[in-house]
Amino acid sequence: MKRVSPAGKLTGSILDEVLHAAGRELVTARSGGLLLTTSTVFGGDFLLTRVLASADPFYTVSVQGTESFSDVPYAPLAPLLQDSPDIDFESELDVLSAVRDRIQRLTGGRSCVVVVRGPEHLDSASIALLTRLAESPSVGLLIRSGPRSKLPLDLELVLADGFIEEVHIPVLTAADVREYFDSILGATLPMLSSTLVCDVIGGSPVLLEMVTRDGELKDLIQLRDGVWILPRELSLTDRMAERIFSLIADYAPEEADVLLTVALAHQIPVEVAVHFWGVDPVNALLLEGALSREEDAGTIWLRAAPPILGAAIRHQVEPFRSRRLWENVHEHLTDLTNTPGIIHRVLWKLSVGVTVDDHEVLTAATMANRLDQPDTAELLLRRLPSDVAADHSGVFAAAEVQRARTEFYNGRTDLALARLRRLVLSDPGSDVLISVIHFIFQINLATGLGASALSEAIRRHTATGPAGKAYESTLIVRLGRELQQLTAGIIPKNPVVEATGVPQDPREALCWHLVSGELLYRRGDLLGAAAELDLALDLVLDHEHLRNHGGYIVTRLMFLLAGGGFWDELAALQTKVTARRAPWIKRFTGFWELVEGLTALRRGRPLTALAHFRTAVVVLRARDIKQFRPLAAALATYTAWLIGDPSLSDFVGEYRRLTHLGPPERRMLAEAYMAVVGEAPASASTRQRGLIPVEAANPQIRAELSVLRVQIGADDAVDVAIERTAGLSDPRAQSLHTVLTALASGSVSELVDAAEFCLDRGQDLLVPVCLGVLLTQSPGSNSKVVRSASKLLARLDPELQRLHPQLASLRHATRLTPREATIAADVAAGKTAKQIAKQYGVSIRTVDGHVESVLTKLGLSSRKDIGKRSP
């Protein structure tokens, strides 16, 4: 599955390169043979076929080691001895001569590859003969091994000697997966999706290619506008499951049982596996990487790696319904408390026909929602009735809440709210109402919808609750109300967090940190706000029942850090969330792309930023956080306008087709970016050229809008923006203030200092503004200003150097003439002015003039710097 790159070169995956190199090595005299083991990638036959295709031998012959003939000398070599009936098997030389004659007759002296399968059952005599045979430059030995630990000692020795080399299959990173989709499959994969795919396949290039080349997956991995759109869970087709399951056939029955059990149970204690199957199979699977181990509270757990194995096994009817396995191990699985294990155990019980009560099904569905697996939750919930009127235990009402969650997580917010309203009107009971209140509160924070449903749920709970315990008066509700006020741009007169300390209850503490963070955010302390929101995120990561608030916190926190220019903190946050494997992070694929695009734009990589924004626009069309889509479209439009990209009109059209522009601040930012381009809605010009409306109460947002007014060319915009950015502490606002102040003064030294200030804080996009003014005020190529500007230009990202229109004149002014380039090369080579003058027949003064011009254009200080400069 290759494509032609823009440069006309055929590109291939990392796996292709490794296998092609192995194939070429196989038909040379430099190596006796190659060993292919399943290793962490499985799929040995898949790899073997690819190596043979790369080697392209004239003839291929196969030999097979079998357990029943493992003690019979030369038995596996029967295919090479079939026309030598009178051979003396007591003589190794006679056997070797007969085999060589047979190969000579088959190939006529041309290349031959002997493919060996089942090497663990080869006898010592056969191994010795195959090794001698491979000494011939025209014969290659390709050994297909199962588990590496099963190799016989004789083969281990020749492997250690280097006569046989092992093919090392690379373990893919998320960046490799992203490159694979882009260069091999011809379309972009969002950054977060590449991380998730790499996690699912365990870094295996074999599994990656099996998954992406499965034709039946076209409905699961959809290609839209040059972007691959993945579901939250990479569901496997039956055909895909069969192919992966066939890879397990390389293992012995005991090892296959261990792998099946661990995958189906998600994880089990290592002593359970050792008790049933012994130490050797477990060790073999650990060495192969088919199993991984981790210690938790003194217990060592086994897990199937990569996770896609578990999914494949669950698709197989027979193994999943293996009553034998269930009867053997089920009593050791009853105490599992990990969330995936609970789900898998219930699914396994249902598959083998074990009775499962309604509470177990509900628990498993709830856990599936917590892992952001709404499809699994929906499948389980089908087993529970939806008639709340006949519900005596509260299970059916609780199931309705979980059904609403599956709808919300699948992007059907309206259906979720309608279901919750019906449930509230049916008076489901106090406990369910509290669950509904918290869930609607989450929806309201994330989308701005459901305020009336939240009020009705609180009113119903208050009316039915015990006297004196009105839910409306609890701390969490008061915190919740203040949080809603703050997100709407209103600062309460007496905030709750300033009157109380952090509560002990995790849910109340979560809300307390959210309110505190939003209060600091509204007051302009972005770093303080980020610290509070980060504490709230830690609570979500540590307490699974709070995971439903994780989405709101991550979107708020990541966008806050990107908006303020806190790049190190942003990178640390992304690492924390992915390293902790928070399941709900899968929901933010498009949002992460938006944050990455904004970061790339501010750091002076507009081409990279536009690629991220384009991906975000496509992905957010189908995501339940699509309220960020208008901002993504506006940022894409702005970036395309900034660099003159022809896609500008497409993004303008995308923005115009949107009907819902999201929460107020994001709407205002989107309209401000569009106003710069000149394609904003009618209301935007009034908003941006008049007073900043109350929705943008946060000083940081007001500063950003003010600067965009400067780009529009509004009257007194610079003076207003200087005032708006004064006193703010985040890197972005400080950089804006410094640049605007320098622009207002017109001082050359201040403009240079402002550009350096921005570079030091990762706000490279502001530097061309300073450089453009510098060149306008100080034309000419020999001035000190051009030298300062050249130094700044050299520090910018190459993308920004090439693409920003304001740098075109500087690039022209700093372009060396042919004679200057020649003299610069001579100076770099260590020649003196006298030597250069004599070489070209000119005066030393002329050479010195050329050197001074070179120093000015390149922003260098001395002749030594020319020598240090890369050519």
Side-chain angles (χ1 to χ4, degrees), residues 148-167:
R148 178 75 163 71
S149 59
K150 298 293 185 180
L151 276 184
L153 179 61
D154 304 79
L155 278 179
E156 285 282 8
L157 292 175
V158 293
L159 189 65
D161 289 340
F163 183 72
I164 294 178
E165 298 182 2
E166 187 169 5
V167 180

Side-chain angles (χ1 to χ4, degrees), residues 456-647:
E456 177 63 20
I458 292 175
R459 189 187 67 78
R460 290 261 177 176
H461 187 275
T462 302
T464 59
K469 292 187 177 181
Y471 192 73
E472 287 181 303
S473 64
T474 62
L475 175 62
I476 194 167
V477 170
R478 287 185 288 136
L479 288 168
R481 285 174 175 170
E482 288 199 359
L483 182 57
Q484 288 179 304
Q485 285 182 295
L486 286 164
T487 54
I490 303 169
I491 300 179
K493 292 182 178 179
N494 300 300
V496 177
V497 294
E498 294 183 348
T500 63
V502 181
Q504 293 295 317
D505 178 78
R507 191 184 295 275
E508 292 182 350
L510 169 71
C511 202
W512 193 95
H513 286 301
L514 289 180
V515 172
S516 179
E518 290 296 338
L519 184 62
L520 290 170
Y521 178 73
R522 295 293 160 188
R523 290 173 174 171
D525 184 0
L526 270 66
L527 196 57
E532 291 292 341
L533 292 174
D534 197 51
L535 290 172
L537 180 60
D538 286 338
L539 285 170
V540 172
L541 293 172
D542 292 337
H543 297 84
E544 194 176 68
H545 67 281
L546 300 179
R547 55 87 59 200
N548 295 310
H549 293 283
Y552 167 77
I553 296 171
V554 168
T555 53
R556 198 70 171 152
L557 187 51
M558 290 183 71
F559 205 68
L560 180 155
L561 292 173
F566 297 100
W567 310 132
D568 292 340
E569 289 80 359
L570 182 61
L573 172 66
Q574 292 176 324
T575 300
K576 173 195 284 191
V577 177
T578 52
R580 296 283 291 273
R581 291 293 186 268
W584 35 266
I585 202 64
K586 292 178 284 189
R587 297 173 54 200
F588 307 114
T589 301
F591 172 74
W592 278 44
E593 215 72 20
L594 176 59
V595 172
E596 290 291 340
L598 186 57
T599 303
L601 178 64
R602 298 278 173 76
R603 301 198 76 165
R605 296 190 289 270
L607 267 180
T608 302
L610 186 59
H612 285 300
F613 290 142
R614 180 182 290 114
T615 302
V617 168
V618 175
V619 175
L620 289 174
R621 290 172 187 161
R623 293 279 168 168
D624 52 349
I625 55 168
K626 54 182 174 285
Q627 65 268 24
F628 281 95
R629 184 179 161 201
L631 186 55
L635 278 165
T637 306
Y638 174 78
T639 307
W641 166 81
L642 193 67
I643 62 178
D645 192 275
S647 62

Side-chain angles (χ1 to χ4, degrees), residues 360-383:
E360 277 192 279
V361 175
L362 176 61
T363 299
T366 303
M367 297 295 187
N369 272 331
R370 287 182 182 175
L371 289 181
D372 202 32
Q373 297 175 359
D375 294 338
T376 300
E378 189 174 11
L379 180 68
L380 288 163
L381 290 169
R382 289 175 188 167
R383 302 183 64 86

Side-chain angles (χ1 to χ4, degrees), residues 307-355:
I308 203 169
L309 284 177
I313 292 169
R314 288 195 295 278
H315 275 69
Q316 287 291 313
V317 175
E318 291 308 318
F320 199 15
R321 293 184 177 177
S322 173
R323 190 79 182 203
R324 173 184 60 83
L325 275 181
W326 173 259
E327 294 294 345
N328 280 344
V329 301
H330 78 90
E331 62 185 274
H332 297 277
L333 306 180
T334 54
D335 295 330
L336 289 182
T337 57
N338 66 86
T339 299
I342 293 172
I343 299 171
H344 294 180
R345 186 171 64 241
V346 171
L347 289 172
W348 201 357
K349 289 172 72 173
L350 291 171
S351 296
V352 299
V354 176
T355 302

